[in-house]
Every structure is written in structure tokens, then in C-alpha cells.
Amino acid sequence: MHTNQGNRCWRKVYHAPMLVRGSTPLGRRGRLTLGSVKASPQTQLRLLELADLDAELARLDHRRRSLPEVAELVRLEARASELKDARVVTETELGDLAREQSRSERDVEQVRTRIEKDRARLDAGQVSAARELASLQSEIENLHRRQGDLEEVVLELMERRETLDRRKDELTNEQEGLGGEMAAVAARRDAAFKEIDEQAARASDQRGNIAAEVPGELLALYDQIRKTKGVGAAMLRAGRCEGCHLSLNAADLNVIRASAPDEVIRCEECRRILVRTSESGL
Ligand SMILES: [Zn+2]
């Protein structure tokens, strides 16, 4: 128990300075942050090189994601998917029509057979009673009408199939054309990706070399800012932060003039590390 209490006590003491820092009064806004991290002017200049490389890496990443070929492929893939669906619908309908046509053709065949049988009975003189004869002739007439109607249905089905066959051919042609177009766009996209990746690999290498020369504490600070800002440092040029493009007021510039060269200064607006150079206007 005693150890635990001691531990808790230590934690309290440890957290105390954090609370003080967190409750910095609003009145401090607009003034510069002078951190505890110190670095020689030369080391601070390395941060500008890092910032340039990080900006380039961000540009490359953005270019990779916003390549027109990527959007174009999404559009073409959507069209390909539409065509595939349309083809399935057309092929299903063609199958239905083919079955319907077979059924109608069988019906026509049955009616024709029936007519032939009736005719054979007539021709053979099997039917002699006048009433029966009239009835048989009437049936043959009805069967002829039925045959005509059924043949009409078959013709109509054939026309619908022809229309759908043409539609299927059109879809197939467009699918083939689209396939070629997609392959060409994908090849252009891949070539662009390759170029971007090569540039990014070079920038990453350079970044690694420079980062290796920056002391750990300063690099950690830089990287922490970079996570939210994209780049962690900016040049102070002619009294202006190159990160957020805001000009510093005279009081802040005086604070910077009075600061030792190894002080690491942060822009109060964008929180980036402000690096002084001969162009800073101090
Ligand atoms: Zn700024």
C-alpha cells in the first residue's frame, strides 16, 4: 500500500506542470512560443529542407490520388458494370423468347398435324353424313385460323429476338471497346504511378538522410507538428511566417531579435517551427 501511495503522489507532482501549461491564459495569444528545445541555426535550417521534402511528398501523394486516369477508370468501370448488367438482362430475355418461340412452334405443328388428319379423313371419303361433313369442314377452318394466329405469334417472337440480338451485339461491341479503353487508361495510370513512386522514393531517401542529422528531440517536435500541418517548419521571411502567410507584429519581431540563435521559435498562429534566415527581416 505504502508503495502505491507513493506512486500516486509522484504522479500528482509529475502532472502539476502540465496543468499549469494547459491553463495558459488567453492573454498570451498572439505572442511567440519559445520552447524548451534548443538547436543551432544550422540544424534549424535542416528543418526547412525537411519541410520542402515533406511538402513534395504531400504533393506527390495528392497527385497520385487525384490522377485524372484514376477518376476516368472509376467512370469506365461503372459503365462496364452497367453493360454487364444490361447483357445479363438481354440474354435472359433472349432465353425466355427462345423458349416461348419453341412452344408456339410446337403448337403450330400440332394444329397442322390435326388439319392433315382431318383432310385425310375428308379425302378418303370416310365421312358421308352431311352434318358430320359440315362439322369436319368447320373444324378445319377453325384450325386454319388458329394456325394463322399461332404463326403470327411466332413471327412476332422472331422479330423481338432479332431486335434483342442486335442489342446484344451493340452491348458486346461497346464492352470490347471499353475493355481496350480501360486497358489503355490503366497503362497510363500505372506509368504515372511509377513516375510518382520513383520521385517519392527519392524524396523519402533524402528525407531520411536529413532527418538522421536532426537531434531526436527537435525531430520529434517537428514530426508532431507535421502530423496536423503537413509540414512542421516554415521560414520567417520578411517578417512573415511562410507556413500560414501571416505577418508577425512588431512586438513579436522584437522578441525574436532578442532571442538567442539556438532558441526554437514557433509561430503562434500555425504552431509551425519558425526558422530564421538572412531573409527574415530581423
Ligand atoms: Zn505561421
Side-chain angles (χ1 to χ4, degrees):
M1 276 315 277
H2 182 78
T3 319
N4 271 353
Q5 273 174 342
N7 202 3
R8 214 177 289 155
C9 198
W10 173 81
R11 273 167 180 254
K12 232 180 237 170
V13 170
Y14 178 76
H15 279 294
M18 300 282 284
L19 284 170
V20 171
R21 209 187 289 173
S23 61
T24 302
L26 283 171
R28 247 191 77 76
R29 273 176 70 94
R31 292 183 59 193
L32 293 161
T33 306
L34 302 179
S36 56
V37 181
K38 303 256 191 283
S40 72
Q42 254 153 345
T43 303
Q44 291 193 38
L45 284 176
R46 303 301 264 170
L47 294 184
L48 290 183
E49 291 174 52
L50 274 191
D52 281 347
L53 289 166
D54 282 332
E56 192 187 344
L57 285 168
R59 261 197 309 277
L60 289 170
D61 184 52
H62 179 259
R63 203 187 137 205
R64 200 180 206 283
R65 280 183 288 110
S66 58
L67 273 182
E69 284 82 3
V70 172
E72 179 71 358
L73 271 178
V74 169
R75 192 185 66 77
L76 294 175
E77 272 158 17
R79 182 63 189 146
S81 168
E82 279 174 8
L83 288 175
K84 199 177 153 199
D85 290 349
R87 240 189 102 142
V88 169
V89 169
T90 307
E91 278 167 2
T92 306
E93 210 172 327
L94 273 171
D96 291 347
L97 285 178
R99 274 189 297 278
E100 214 178 316
Q101 190 183 332
S102 299
R103 243 192 334 264
S104 299
E105 280 168 350
R106 272 198 306 277
D107 289 348
V108 170
E109 203 46 47
Q110 274 174 356
V111 172
R112 200 162 31 218
T113 309
R114 183 94 179 267
I115 291 171
E116 273 166 22
K117 258 188 209 161
D118 285 353
R119 268 203 195 292
R121 283 178 71 200
L122 265 186
D123 294 347
Q126 287 171 346
V127 181
S128 50
R131 249 178 83 182
E132 210 183 333
L133 199 64
S135 163
L136 191 58
Q137 278 167 338
S138 160
E139 184 182 287
I140 289 173
E141 270 172 41
N142 282 342
L143 285 169
H144 269 303
R145 266 200 297 280
R146 171 96 180 114
Q147 184 184 355
D149 288 348
L150 284 169
E151 279 168 351
E152 198 70 19
V153 169
V154 170
L155 275 177
E156 197 191 308
L157 286 169
M158 284 168 77
E159 278 168 18
R160 280 171 65 192
R161 280 180 74 182
E162 273 172 31
T163 306
L164 277 178
D165 272 331
R166 276 199 299 275
R167 168 95 181 115
K168 192 182 147 185
D169 287 347
E170 282 166 13
L171 290 171
T172 307
N173 284 342
E174 194 180 340
Q175 274 180 319
E176 281 168 5
L178 200 64
E181 200 181 342
M182 281 169 79
V185 175
R188 281 207 307 277
R189 177 204 58 189
D190 291 344
F193 275 171
K194 187 166 173 275
E195 189 194 313
I196 291 168
D197 290 345
E198 282 166 3
Q199 288 175 16
R202 273 198 298 277
S204 284
D205 272 359
Q206 278 177 288
R207 194 195 186 279
N209 291 337
I210 294 166
E213 292 172 27
V214 176
E217 209 184 357
L218 183 62
L219 187 64
L221 176 64
Y222 173 90
D223 279 335
Q224 186 199 328
I225 303 166
R226 181 176 62 100
K227 271 178 206 155
T228 54
K229 298 287 173 185
V231 297
M235 194 197 287
L236 175 64
R237 192 199 294 271
R240 205 169 79 129
C241 168
E242 291 277 274
C244 60
H245 303 291
L246 285 175
S247 291
L248 279 71
N249 61 37
D252 285 346
L253 287 173
N254 280 336
V255 172
I256 296 176
R257 281 187 193 104
S259 309
D262 65 347
E263 290 279 7
V264 174
I265 296 163
R266 289 176 67 180
C267 172
E268 202 63 34
E269 279 302 322
C270 70
R271 309 298 294 139
R272 291 186 181 92
I273 295 169
L274 262 183
V275 179
R276 286 162 282 176
T277 74
S278 56
E279 298 167 55
S280 290
L282 294 171

